[in-house]
Amino acid sequence: MRWSITTLVLVMLVTVSVASIQGCRKKDNWLTTPLALNIPSGWPAIQYNFSNNPLTQQGFDLGKKLFYDGKLSKDGNFPCSSCHQQVAAFGTYDHDRSHGYNNSHTLRNAPALQNLAWKKEFDWDGAFTNIEARVLAHINHPEEMGETTEGVLSKLRNDGDYPRMFRAAFGSEEINADRMTKALAQFVVSLVSSNSTYDRVQRGQATFNLPESLGYDIFKAKCASCHKEPMFTDYTYRNIGIVKEAMLNDNGRMRVTNNRNDSIKFQVPSLRNVKITYTYGHDGRFYAIDNVLEHYRSTVLQGPTTDPLLATGIPLSNFEIGQLKAFLNALTDSTVVKDAKFSKP
């Protein structure tokens, strides 16, 4: 078949136009892979607003890289993971208070990053109501990561990997604080701890041994009013009858509310993974579970804001302490500690 010059030109124009359209579609066809959060049966409602930050594989991957990257700190030595270590359920391992930039010690012990999607307020004093704001505060604090938001963003923009990863997660190579903190939030809210011996017992997949079973009964009678199942915290702020450390002068919740009734009150920590998240307390003053239990039975200080539930401390015999510790050890989730999905890339 012989085509005229005009016909050939028209065919070429149509072909070029179709190719151009397809090329645009391919360029603009930004697709992400949705991730489902592990939500255990019987747990309370999630508090994190996923409608504003949908969980995706690309966002999770970006957040994971950021979490382990020293670029988020001034000297490169203090990524998020330096205070939140996987071996300690993403808490500070074996330090009373976290270490920060320029050999500083922070005000408090870094809590374990677990089950954050169920929390409304963050920090021991509840100073932050969203994860993203807390991330920026860590970066800009002179005794923590010692950087500035813009300083971090500049380093990320000049990195060979990040523009591509931001495009994969958010649709363009633009790197800004909103996207950075959202990616980090996607990673940390994915740190769900729900596979301890306790959890497997609740699912009918295991049974407690005798000390664990006895300890569970003691726990329900003497501890569960503050450490409510299944989160093992009620997220309230309480003064557990401690002496304020003079050098730190940390007034706890009162720093946020300016209400004297909140003096030396700190958020009730979750007991999940308590075996591996020592030291304990907002300032890491308790070096072992035994120290914590001994405090409750013999050294609770009765002050103006001491929790009424501790008016007589918590009477515990040596036998009860032994059984209670067996149960607390059964709250350890080896999955989140060893899962390569959460490990350094």
Side-chain angles (χ1 to χ4, degrees):
M1 179 172 59
R2 298 180 64 185
W3 290 358
S4 66
I5 297 297
T6 302
T7 302
L8 287 171
V9 170
L10 286 173
V11 170
M12 291 174 65
L13 288 173
V14 170
T15 302
V16 170
S17 297
V18 170
S20 299
I21 292 172
Q22 289 177 339
C24 290
R25 284 177 177 170
K26 184 176 181 181
K27 181 179 179 181
D28 295 335
N29 188 21
W30 166 56
L31 295 176
T32 55
T33 307
L35 281 183
L37 187 71
N38 173 23
I39 304 177
S41 176
W43 281 29
I46 284 177
Q47 300 299 317
Y48 187 76
N49 182 15
F50 282 105
S51 63
N52 189 47
N53 187 21
L55 187 59
T56 68
Q57 184 65 59
Q58 291 77 11
F60 174 92
D61 291 342
L62 174 57
K64 177 179 174 179
K65 181 173 174 62
L66 289 165
F67 184 84
Y68 286 100
D69 197 338
K71 290 186 180 68
L72 272 66
S73 69
K74 189 174 183 67
D75 61 2
N77 293 324
F78 296 95
C80 305
S81 59
S82 65
C83 288
H84 298 284
Q85 303 162 34
Q86 187 174 16
V87 68
F90 293 94
T92 292
Y93 176 72
D94 205 22
H95 289 161
D96 53 356
R97 291 177 289 130
S98 301
H99 296 179
Y101 173 68
N102 198 27
N103 297 314
S104 300
H105 281 73
T106 63
L107 181 65
R108 296 171 179 157
N109 179 267
L113 300 181
Q114 54 188 359
N115 305 328
L116 298 186
W118 284 266
K119 294 189 69 171
K120 289 182 179 180
E121 296 165 340
F122 303 89
D123 265 16
W124 284 97
D125 57 12
F128 298 88
T129 57
N130 67 78
I131 297 170
E132 291 82 357
R134 187 63 191 101
V135 167
L136 292 179
H138 280 309
I139 288 172
N140 288 273
H141 197 291
E143 294 179 349
E144 295 184 30
M145 300 168 92
E147 249 293 5
T148 65
T149 302
E150 190 53 45
V152 171
L153 296 177
S154 177
K155 285 184 278 188
L156 299 183
R157 290 166 185 151
N158 289 316
D159 183 278
D161 293 329
Y162 279 113
R164 170 184 55 80
M165 295 186 73
F166 271 83
R167 184 182 188 280
F170 297 107
S172 75
E173 293 186 356
E174 180 183 359
I175 297 176
N176 58 36
D178 180 64
R179 289 179 169 186
M180 175 181 69
T181 56
K182 282 183 175 178
L184 278 163
Q186 288 192 44
F187 176 71
V188 297
V189 298
S190 299
L191 301 173
V192 177
S193 181
S194 63
N195 198 36
S196 64
T197 297
Y198 164 84
D199 295 301
R200 294 192 294 275
V201 170
Q202 298 304 308
R203 295 194 294 262
Q205 299 170 342
T207 56
F208 288 133
N209 60 32
L210 181 57
E212 292 167 346
S213 180
L214 293 173
Y216 187 29
D217 290 338
I218 296 167
F219 170 85
K220 288 185 288 187
K222 300 192 176 187
C223 310
S225 55
C226 298
H227 296 281
K228 294 185 181 296
E229 301 174 65
M231 313 312 292
F232 289 91
T233 172
D234 63 358
Y235 300 112
T236 59
Y237 301 87
R238 300 175 186 264
N239 178 351
I240 62 170
I242 56 175
V243 177
K244 182 169 65 173
E245 211 282 337
M247 183 186 72
L248 299 178
N249 193 32
D250 190 348
N251 287 313
R253 182 67 172 164
M254 181 178 166
R255 289 164 55 97
V256 177
T257 65
N258 292 317
N259 185 337
R260 289 185 179 180
N261 293 326
D262 289 330
S263 177
I264 325 179
K265 290 184 178 181
F266 298 90
Q267 190 175 82
V268 175
S270 173
L271 296 180
R272 285 182 170 274
N273 294 302
V274 67
K275 179 182 177 181
I276 57 174
T277 56
Y278 59 92
T279 57
Y280 306 111
H282 69 283
D283 55 4
R285 65 177 63 194
F286 301 113
Y287 279 82
I289 293 175
D290 293 271
N291 301 137
V292 178
L293 297 176
E294 185 60 37
H295 164 74
Y296 281 123
R297 79 170 178 177
S298 65
T299 66
V300 172
L301 175 69
Q302 298 302 323
T305 65
T306 300
D307 198 281
L309 291 174
L310 298 174
T312 59
I314 302 177
L316 290 165
S317 68
N318 289 344
F319 174 80
E320 288 175 316
I321 285 178
Q323 311 312 297
L324 188 54
K325 285 172 60 180
F327 171 70
L328 294 176
N329 290 344
L331 299 178
T332 305
D333 179 0
S334 61
T335 303
V336 73
V337 173
K338 297 178 180 179
D339 195 337
K341 178 174 65 176
F342 304 127
S343 300
K344 184 175 181 178

